[in-house]
Amino acid sequence: MTHRFPVKEIALQSGLSTATIDRVLNDRPNVSPQTRRRVQDAIRELIAQEGQLSARGRRLFFDIVVEAPNRFSREIRKATEAILPDLHPAAIRPRFAFAETRSEADLKSLFNRIGKRGSQGVCLKARNTDAVREAITALRQKNIPVVTIFTDCPGSERIAYAGLDNSSAGRTAAYLMHKLLGARPGVVLITLSQHAFQGEEVRFRGFRAELQRLRPGLAILDASGGGGLNPETGAEVSQQLKNTPEISGVYSMGGGNLAVLGALDQAGAVPNVYVAHDLDEDNLELLQNGRLTFVLHHDLKADMRAAFRHLLAFHGLGTAPSYSSSDIQIITPANLPRKI
């Protein structure tokens, strides 16, 4: 059993004798499983205490870099600020860099500024492109760790991903769509903000594969590319509806639901099922008004807490979570949370 604590310290923490600790650490016979667990628990407790002592008085700057519509960025800020008290004794100072759209050149310039002024870590929501992966590598070469949030950049030098299990979300949407539509034929409209956001693309692949397995007769109409922004998303949907006004269901993976519903209304299309993501202000109101069937939600506070724990662990402060993909919550008008 690997450890870095004196035998006497482990004995004091566990309440066992130093002789017993020595037998456990050296894997000698005649030691009960319960005793071994007590020693293992004591070592874990000492590691946690050591991390708390190391963190005390430390001030760390974490940069939260996000490309998303303002309504979602506001939710990220709220979640981040809500968890800061949970991370004491370290004093974390988040610095927010939000943009509704961000070019690769803009991101590279921003990362250069972060590298020059210094940072203890970056939480990044960005498109999965070669340029973004190269920018992550440049930060890692300066010993600045990056955790991707809500959408991943696989193959990059990010240290972890924190956010929704997007493949499971897509499959869940397909399963519920199949059950709610029953035997109705028709077309399912899907919208992504951009296919280059890996999280949404994974949702789409999971949804398409599961829907084709369950309901091979349902066609999929792709109206993606609006960036989750209402004007652009509305224009994309209106264009696609010109030739296919009969829509049975909608799966909105990238937001802009006010615009999607506006385009559907204008085309006279009335879907039987409308699935959206995230409980932002728009979606809460649309759920309350019965315009959305259900929303696939995940706890942004849990996601940001996991991201920060990864960054803290990189600096030797505490331990990283063993699993940081958050679970899906299915929210309907009947189970709206009292407080987000």
Side-chain angles (χ1 to χ4, degrees), residues 66-79 98 100 125 149-151 200 203 254 277-281 297-298 300 303:
V66 170
E67 180 184 354
N70 289 331
R71 61 180 180 276
F72 188 58
S73 293
R74 285 194 295 270
E75 298 303 317
I76 295 173
R77 180 187 286 271
K78 283 167 52 179
F98 293 154
E100 291 203 305
K125 181 184 181 299
I149 52 174
F150 313 123
T151 185
E200 293 178 30
R203 290 176 196 173
H277 272 268
D278 302 315
L279 283 179
D280 56 41
E281 295 170 357
H297 177 59
H298 52 114
L300 300 188
D303 296 332

Side-chain angles (χ1 to χ4, degrees), residues 18-303:
T18 55
T20 299
I21 301 299
D22 182 75
R23 287 201 301 275
V24 172
L25 295 178
N26 290 287
D27 202 23
R28 296 195 176 99
N30 302 319
V31 178
S32 70
Q34 293 87 349
T35 299
R36 291 186 186 278
R37 280 197 296 272
R38 283 182 65 180
V39 174
Q40 291 168 353
D41 289 344
I43 291 173
R44 280 194 290 268
E45 290 162 3
L46 287 168
I47 291 172
Q49 293 168 16
E50 186 180 60
Q52 290 173 355
L53 290 170
S54 299
R56 187 165 295 150
R58 288 283 298 275
R59 185 173 63 173
L60 301 99
F61 289 94
F62 290 163
D63 290 277
I64 320 300
V65 178
V66 170
E67 180 184 354
N70 289 331
R71 61 180 180 276
F72 188 58
S73 293
R74 285 194 295 270
E75 298 303 317
I76 295 173
R77 180 187 286 271
K78 283 167 52 179
T80 300
E81 292 173 345
I83 66 166
L84 293 179
D86 302 341
L87 300 168
H88 289 317
I92 295 175
R93 299 289 182 262
R95 298 184 295 207
F96 299 100
F98 293 154
E100 291 203 305
T101 59
R102 177 175 277 125
S103 69
E104 292 176 339
D106 289 341
L107 182 68
K108 183 178 179 180
S109 176
L110 174 59
F111 273 22
N112 284 338
R113 293 197 300 275
I114 290 172
K116 287 178 181 178
R117 74 187 179 195
S119 176
Q120 280 70 56
V122 174
C123 296
L124 175 67
K125 181 184 181 299
R127 307 179 200 196
N128 181 32
T129 67
D130 290 340
V132 172
R133 290 190 290 272
E134 289 168 6
I136 293 172
T137 298
L139 282 185
R140 287 290 285 112
Q141 289 171 348
K142 296 180 179 180
N143 204 37
I144 298 175
V146 175
V147 174
T148 50
I149 52 174
F150 313 123
T151 185
D152 200 5
C153 291
S156 69
E157 291 192 42
R158 56 89 165 141
I159 63 170
Y161 164 74
L164 180 64
D165 182 336
N166 286 295
S167 178
S168 178
R171 296 194 305 273
T172 299
Y175 173 80
L176 292 172
M177 182 80 72
H178 159 63
K179 289 295 185 181
L180 291 170
L181 285 179
R184 296 183 186 91
V187 174
V188 174
L189 175 74
I190 63 105
T191 66
L192 290 75
S193 63
Q194 296 284 347
H195 281 276
F197 283 110
Q198 191 262 359
E200 293 178 30
E201 177 65 17
V202 170
R203 290 176 196 173
F204 169 60
R205 291 201 299 265
F207 176 80
R208 180 178 59 187
E210 188 70 1
L211 195 66
Q212 287 176 346
R213 183 181 74 83
L214 295 170
R215 293 289 301 279
L218 280 176
I220 292 177
L221 179 66
D222 191 344
S224 300
L229 304 174
N230 282 319
E232 292 84 350
T233 300
E236 291 284 347
V237 173
S238 294
Q239 181 64 33
Q240 293 298 325
L241 290 177
K242 285 181 177 179
N243 298 319
T244 314
E246 297 297 327
I247 300 296
S248 300
V250 176
Y251 181 27
S252 170
M253 292 166 246
N257 294 303
L258 286 171
V260 175
L261 286 163
L264 289 167
D265 291 344
Q266 190 172 15
V270 183
N272 299 98
V273 182
Y274 195 123
V275 185
H277 272 268
D278 302 315
L279 283 179
D280 56 41
E281 295 170 357
D282 287 354
N283 286 349
L284 275 171
E285 184 175 350
L286 291 170
L287 265 177
Q288 290 167 342
N289 293 334
R291 299 302 308 273
L292 305 181
T293 310
F294 62 88
V295 167
L296 297 177
H297 177 59
H298 52 114
D299 187 345
L300 300 188
K301 292 192 292 292
D303 296 332

